[in-house]
Structure formats: C-alpha cells, structure tokens
C-alpha cells in the first residue's frame, strides 16, 4: 500500500533522481504484472496499479490506452519467440515435436516461467475481453510460427490443436492439479506428449 | 452441519400446496445450477440461491452442508457414467478411442450439454476449493472407468492425460474461442483427436 506521493505526474523515487519515461513505463508494467497475477484480470484496476506504482492514473492511459493493452504489455513470455524457434528447430525438423514438448514441459514446470501463462489462462477463462490475448500470445506468437515453419497443410489448425493440449496440461497439471498428472514425472509426460506433438504438427490426418 | 429445521422446514410456494422434501431439494438444485452457471462459483451465494428458490437459507445447509457440496450436487453430467461406458464400449475395445472422441465432440458441440462442463471449468480455474470437483466429475466418474476397462498400465495417468486434452479443447474451442479450432469441423477434429485418444488410452509409451 504505497499510498504516498500525491499524484505528481512522474514522481521521483523518494527524493532521488526522477525516473525517466522508460523507468515510469517499466514501473507501471511491473506493478501491472504483479496485480494481474495476484488479483486476476477482473479485480485489477488501472487506479490500483497507478497507486501502487506511484504514478498518475492518466499516465497509464497515456502509455497504454486501455486496461486490455496494459495487460497485453504485461504478459511476459518465458522467452522471446525468436529464441523459441531457434531452440525448437535446433536439431532439424524431425526434432521439432520432441524439442517443443520438452521446452513446454520445462517452462510449465518452473513456477517462475509458468506464472505469466497461468495469469493469462485465468484471465482468459473469466474475462471474455481478455480471452483474445491468450490467442495472440500463445498461438500467434509461439505455436503458429512453429507450425508454419514445419510446413504441411493448415498450420493454423495444427497450432491451435497444440495450444489446446498445452493449456489443457497447464490447467490439469498446474492450476486444477488433477492427480496423477500433477505429480507425473517429466519423463513420463515426455513419453506421452512427444507423439501427440508429432501427430498434431506433422501427422498426415488432414484430408486432401 | 445438520442444524435441522428450526425454520419451518418445507416452506410453501406462496399460499399453495407445500412442496414435499424432494421437491424442495430439487428446486434448490435447479436454482443453484442456474446461478453457478450464470454468475460463476465465486459470485454465487447460498443466500442468493435460497432467495430465488424461495426457501430458508438454513435449509440449504441442512440439505447440502456447504456451498461446495451444493455445487457438486448441481453439476449435471450430460449423461450417466454407466451409459457412457455402454456407448463407448459398444463396438469392442478397439472402438473405444473413436467412440470416446466422437462422444466428447458431440457433448461439447451442443450448448445444452456443454454448459455444465463449462461452468465446472470456470469454477475450477477461479476457485481453488472448486478445483477438486472437476477431478471428481470428469476424471473419476467418466474417464478413469473407461481407462480401467480398456486395461493396460497406469489407467489413472492415462485418464488424466485424456482429461487434459478434453478440458484443453473445451477451453480453446468453446471458452476462449481460438480460431481456427473454434470453427473447425467435427470431421477434422475427429481425424485429429481419435489417434490422440488411442495413444493416451492404449499406446505402449509407458516404461516397464
């Protein structure tokens, strides 16, 4: 509850040097990230973020336009999409399903990298206006580029099937915690999931 | 919590004939179902249900013990688990993955039968105390009996992997609505999913 500092547009941190524009923006995003993940999308307000970040609420609108845009800016992907592509395609196209499944498992098993995805999922389920975001972030930025580069028919459909398995796993293993999936070893899940990733990405199941 | 009925147990509707016990119970469950699915688990209150059902709130506690138990009682499965088993195993064990996938697709594609699953999913994501219910309803009552009857190693793990794909599809296709999965034809999804059901249920991917 850092109620302090009136509403001075770009407040100084204590009495020190005032933050520059990018410092203010960064402070807003950091605070937004914290509140979205702790309170969920619905209970987070621009006013509350502004207060805790110690900035004028109008600055949030100035920088981000809307709550939804601020949410989008605050979603961290565990890694940059370009880097994901490098890792996933590192051993050629045959290795893609295995690399993608292993990368997903390691991202979801680490609480730190899982958190933004979890926040996104909660928001998507409870707030219709936030639902489009999971699509942009998970499907368009991550899975579709993979499916497109793998090649084959209808990469969008393949990517969204993959998305359905990824969010299903996140939900059942980490959010709801259904046993024994919640406690299953990474090795067992890899055995279970790699063939499914292979099938969705490269399987020959689509009609001519 | 059986505090019993200090409260004129079974209230009449207006001045008419008093409902019998089972009529009151049924009226509570019907109203609970409506409110849980419209308001979500978090915003539904026992008081609100009692008011709309026209019964004393203490009666709800008398019959159901807690909000969570009332929620559980109000979850309708689209069909009885025994009937599901009959349908899924109707053409022998080889037909199980296909029958199960087709049954799931038809249940999820019909707004009427999808609604209780959707309500359950929303509740599970937003309310930790409701999360155990999706496990009991989806996994223990539906998928585990199928996996057990199919046979093979670790039916619980197989059932929960299947659950992860089912709730992932429900989420991506129907709740969040990620295209092109949201608009994909039933035929294409059947082609995509039957091999995955086959793999999770009967695949030989578990180590000795």
């Amino acid at each position: 509850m850092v109620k302090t500092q009136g509403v001075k547009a770009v407040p100084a941190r204590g009495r020190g040097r005032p933050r520059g524009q990018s410092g203010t923006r960064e402070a807003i995003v950091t605070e937004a990230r914290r509140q979205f993940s702790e309170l969920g999308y619905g209970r987070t307000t621009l006013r509350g973020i502004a207060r805790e970040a110690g900035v004028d609420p109008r600055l949030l609108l100035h920088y981000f336009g809307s709550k939804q845009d601020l949410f989008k800016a605050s979603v961290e992907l565990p890694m940059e999409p370009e880097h994901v592509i490098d890792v996933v395609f590192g051993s050629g196209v045959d290795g893609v399903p295995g690399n993608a499944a292993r990368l997903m498992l390691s991202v979801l098993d680490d609480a730190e990298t899982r958190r933004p995805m979890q926040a996104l999922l909660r928001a998507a389920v409870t707030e219709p206006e936030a639902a489009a975001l999971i699509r942009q972030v998970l499907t368009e930025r991550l899975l579709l580029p993979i499916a497109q580069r793998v090649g084959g028919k209808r990469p969008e459909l393949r990517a969204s099937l993959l998305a359905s398995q990824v969010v299903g796993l996140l939900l059942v293993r980490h959010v709801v915690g259904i046993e024994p999936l919640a406690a299953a070893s990474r090795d067992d899940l890899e055995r279970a999931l790699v063939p499914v990733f292979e099938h969705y990405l490269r399987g020959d199941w689509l009609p001519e």
Side-chain angles (χ1 to χ4, degrees), chain A:
Chain A
M1 270 293 174
V2 186
K3 247 201 199 129
T4 44
Q5 37 210 164
V7 191
K8 299 284 178 40
V10 183
R13 280 182 190 273
R15 296 243 142 237
R17 211 153 48 96
R19 285 190 290 234
Q21 263 210 6
S22 73
T24 305
R25 199 181 186 285
E26 191 48 45
I28 294 170
V29 168
T30 303
E31 182 57 29
R33 195 170 286 151
R34 196 183 67 76
Q35 295 200 20
F36 281 127
S37 97
E38 281 177 19
L39 305 174
Y41 186 85
R43 282 185 293 162
T44 298
T45 62
L46 292 182
R47 188 175 298 274
I49 293 169
R51 188 174 54 233
E52 295 298 318
V55 302
D56 190 293
R58 280 167 292 184
L59 261 188
L60 270 66
L61 291 177
H62 170 67
Y63 282 131
F64 299 98
S66 69
K67 177 174 166 184
Q68 190 169 351
D69 287 326
L70 175 54
F71 182 84
K72 216 157 110 186
S74 79
V75 168
E76 299 169 286
L77 286 179
M79 48 180 76
E80 286 304 311
E82 299 69 36
H83 183 54
V84 170
I85 295 280
D86 286 349
V87 170
V88 166
F89 285 85
S91 49
V93 76
D94 289 346
V96 168
N99 289 337
R102 279 183 291 274
L103 182 62
M104 176 201 69
L105 286 169
S106 76
V107 164
L108 295 188
D109 276 353
D110 178 338
E112 192 61 36
T113 49
R114 181 174 69 239
R115 193 171 308 129
M117 305 301 292
Q118 222 160 348
L120 197 62
L121 178 67
R122 277 182 215 273
V125 170
T126 53
E127 302 292 323
E129 58 176 330
L133 297 172
I134 203 168
R135 164 175 167 180
Q136 289 169 349
V137 173
L138 182 65
T139 307
E140 289 172 20
R141 284 169 66 190
L142 276 179
L143 299 176
L144 183 56
I146 294 175
Q148 278 169 333
R149 213 171 126 165
V150 164
K153 276 174 273 189
R154 297 171 68 185
E156 295 82 3
L157 180 61
R158 296 173 187 274
S160 61
L161 282 161
L162 217 49
S164 77
Q165 180 57 83
V166 173
V167 300
L169 188 78
L170 170 60
L171 194 88
V172 169
R173 180 164 160 91
H174 300 288
V175 176
V176 179
I178 294 185
E179 294 298 357
L181 198 52
S185 74
R186 183 97 63 95
D187 279 355
D188 284 347
L189 290 183
E190 193 181 317
R191 286 187 195 95
L193 292 169
V194 173
V196 174
F197 275 49
E198 175 76 37
H199 169 71
Y200 284 152
L201 278 174
R202 308 178 72 203
D204 187 24
W205 45 269
L206 278 165
E208 285 312 314

